[in-house]
Amino acid sequence: MEFKFQILSPDEWAYYSSLYNCDTLKADQNFLNSLANTYSLKVLHVAIKQKEDVYILTSFLIKDKKILSPNHYYYQFFWQNSNKSQWHHTEALYFLLDELKKSYKAINVRLPISVKDIRPFKWHGFTIETRYTLVKYLNDGKLHKNLSRILKHDVTVNGYKFETNTFWKESLAFHDKELKNFKFAETYIRQVIRWFYALQKANLAYTFNVFYKDEFVSSIIAIVDEKDKKAYFPLIGTVKEHSSKGISSFLYQYALNQLKDLGVEKVDLYGADMREIAMFKQKFEPELQNFYVAKYSVYNNKLQNLIMYLKTFVKKIVR
């Protein structure tokens, strides 16, 4: 099966992503450019074709001879032609990885939930990490009974005020402080906050905030994909004194309702790999889903091949 590796210009990328109806947030030029500009990277658009028939469309963030995944909020954009068979998908992906390895000495991709067949990555010597996330479907009607009891209270009577898309500067300053409390590196925090500023300017993010008697006490930042009717909750924080009053739960419910009114059908809540955070988010009856992080480096691949050779050699001697 003869495939062709084609690097696409921004105009060609826009044409193909629109033609195949896959111009979602992760394929959006503004979204990709916001990451590239924040992390000093370049965007590489790729199509895998057989003659003029497109099998795969994907974008990578690159620097020097490396393909990078800049932060743990970013999923790789990856589209496969649904009109092709499973084996065609596998062969096309194998070809794509073979071509990438010719030009890049290190590859780190955070695959979307939709990618389930990771065999081509394994066959090419990638190391695979299984990660988990929680996806809340907004039309399922499920709500944990304990949370239902909490949400019966009217906290607005007690001085709490909920707002959408206001006080962006204060919201990002609040999350900057929260990330520092989690002991993230200064450089990492600075880049993440700068990225959300860029998303806000491109109208790709919302902020949902809670005030208590004019004091800023809780906030969620959501990345919103209107095309795919999906949103993501990368950042949430609540002042400790108000967390014990269940304000985080009220804010979650407020944000989910606001997004549902906007036409969003599902929300990726993140955080399923961290026990304490997952326990809280599980109250909203989300669905546990897994995804993969695939990593490759020339050095590690050579080392693995050497180890395999030595193991085979030792077995022959023992026999």
Side-chain angles (χ1 to χ4, degrees), residues 5 7 44 46 60 62-67 95-107 126 296-298:
F5 179 94
I7 296 175
L44 176 71
V46 173
F60 299 100
I62 63 174
K63 187 171 187 177
D64 301 325
K65 293 292 183 179
K66 297 179 180 180
I67 292 175
F95 173 80
L96 167 64
L97 297 176
D98 194 44
E99 291 297 306
L100 292 177
K101 286 171 63 178
K102 294 175 183 177
S103 300
Y104 298 96
K105 63 183 181 181
I107 302 171
F126 282 69
Y296 170 86
S297 76
V298 172

Side-chain angles (χ1 to χ4, degrees), residues 241-257:
E241 308 88 83
H242 297 270
S243 181
S244 60
K245 300 177 182 179
I247 293 304
S248 298
S249 297
F250 285 101
L251 178 57
Y252 252 71
Q253 191 64 16
Y254 171 79
L256 293 174
N257 286 333

Side-chain angles (χ1 to χ4, degrees), residues 174-203:
F174 176 80
H175 288 291
D176 183 293
K177 184 178 178 181
E178 287 289 297
L179 289 170
K180 287 175 181 174
N181 291 337
F182 280 100
K183 308 300 180 184
F184 284 101
E186 286 284 346
T187 302
Y188 177 88
I189 296 171
R190 187 165 58 250
Q191 289 174 323
V192 164
I193 297 302
R194 190 163 71 237
W195 181 45
F196 282 107
Y197 266 121
L199 289 176
Q200 185 257 329
K201 289 179 181 178
N203 296 316

Side-chain angles (χ1 to χ4, degrees), residues 32-296:
L32 291 168
N33 288 336
S34 71
L35 282 160
N37 294 335
T38 298
Y39 293 93
S40 300
L41 305 172
K42 294 181 180 179
V43 180
L44 176 71
H45 299 302
V46 173
I48 301 300
K49 304 167 72 175
Q50 188 182 56
K51 295 182 179 179
E52 290 307 308
D53 206 3
V54 176
Y55 280 66
I56 290 175
L57 289 173
T58 186
S59 289
F60 299 100
L61 294 163
I62 63 174
K63 187 171 187 177
D64 301 325
K65 293 292 183 179
K66 297 179 180 180
I67 292 175
L68 302 171
S69 184
N71 62 47
H72 65 276
Y73 307 122
Y74 169 68
Y75 289 107
Q76 180 79 21
F77 172 75
F78 190 85
W79 174 86
Q80 294 174 299
N81 193 328
S82 60
N83 293 323
K84 307 302 176 184
S85 70
Q86 177 60 61
W87 186 245
H88 284 144
H89 291 166
T90 302
E91 287 286 271
L93 177 53
Y94 187 89
F95 173 80
L96 167 64
L97 297 176
D98 194 44
E99 291 297 306
L100 292 177
K101 286 171 63 178
K102 294 175 183 177
S103 300
Y104 298 96
K105 63 183 181 181
I107 302 171
N108 183 343
V109 290
R110 193 171 184 269
L111 298 168
I113 295 170
S114 59
V115 176
K116 300 301 183 185
D117 185 3
I118 57 168
R119 292 174 298 168
F121 290 93
K122 291 182 177 180
W123 295 335
H124 272 296
F126 282 69
T127 58
I128 306 296
E129 299 174 11
T130 304
R131 305 281 180 85
Y132 294 91
T133 191
L134 294 164
V135 177
K136 173 63 180 176
Y137 292 86
L138 300 186
N139 294 321
D140 62 11
K142 295 179 182 178
L143 193 64
H144 194 285
K145 61 181 180 181
N146 293 335
L147 189 59
S148 299
R149 186 172 65 249
I150 293 172
L151 293 172
K152 285 180 181 178
H153 300 288
D154 185 0
V155 291
T156 58
V157 174
N158 298 322
Y160 289 98
K161 182 181 179 182
F162 295 76
E163 293 195 7
T164 301
N165 266 359
T166 58
F167 298 96
W168 260 100
K169 184 177 180 181
E170 291 82 356
S171 175
L172 288 171
F174 176 80
H175 288 291
D176 183 293
K177 184 178 178 181
E178 287 289 297
L179 289 170
K180 287 175 181 174
N181 291 337
F182 280 100
K183 308 300 180 184
F184 284 101
E186 286 284 346
T187 302
Y188 177 88
I189 296 171
R190 187 165 58 250
Q191 289 174 323
V192 164
I193 297 302
R194 190 163 71 237
W195 181 45
F196 282 107
Y197 266 121
L199 289 176
Q200 185 257 329
K201 289 179 181 178
N203 296 316
L204 297 174
Y206 280 69
T207 180
F208 304 100
N209 305 318
V210 183
F211 298 84
Y212 178 70
K213 297 179 180 178
D214 296 326
E215 175 192 1
F216 202 105
V217 298
S218 188
S219 176
I220 289 175
I221 289 182
I223 303 171
V224 181
D225 185 346
E226 294 182 2
K227 177 75 176 180
D228 201 30
K229 298 181 180 180
K230 186 174 182 178
Y232 304 81
F233 278 5
L235 295 177
I236 177 171
T238 302
V239 173
K240 189 174 181 180
E241 308 88 83
H242 297 270
S243 181
S244 60
K245 300 177 182 179
I247 293 304
S248 298
S249 297
F250 285 101
L251 178 57
Y252 252 71
Q253 191 64 16
Y254 171 79
L256 293 174
N257 286 333
Q258 292 287 305
L259 290 169
K260 187 175 181 180
D261 289 344
L262 290 171
V264 171
E265 295 177 353
K266 54 186 175 181
V267 180
D268 190 328
L269 303 178
Y270 292 114
D273 286 312
M274 301 176 69
R275 184 174 182 273
E276 292 76 12
I277 295 176
M279 285 175 64
F280 166 75
K281 295 181 179 182
Q282 201 65 46
K283 296 176 183 179
F284 291 88
E285 299 279 354
E287 181 179 298
L288 182 67
Q289 298 186 10
N290 72 283
F291 62 94
Y292 302 100
V293 175
K295 298 180 181 180
Y296 170 86

Side-chain angles (χ1 to χ4, degrees), residues 21-35:
N21 197 32
C22 57
D23 49 342
T24 62
L25 174 79
K26 288 172 288 192
D28 184 84
Q29 299 275 14
N30 290 326
F31 178 76
L32 291 168
N33 288 336
S34 71
L35 282 160

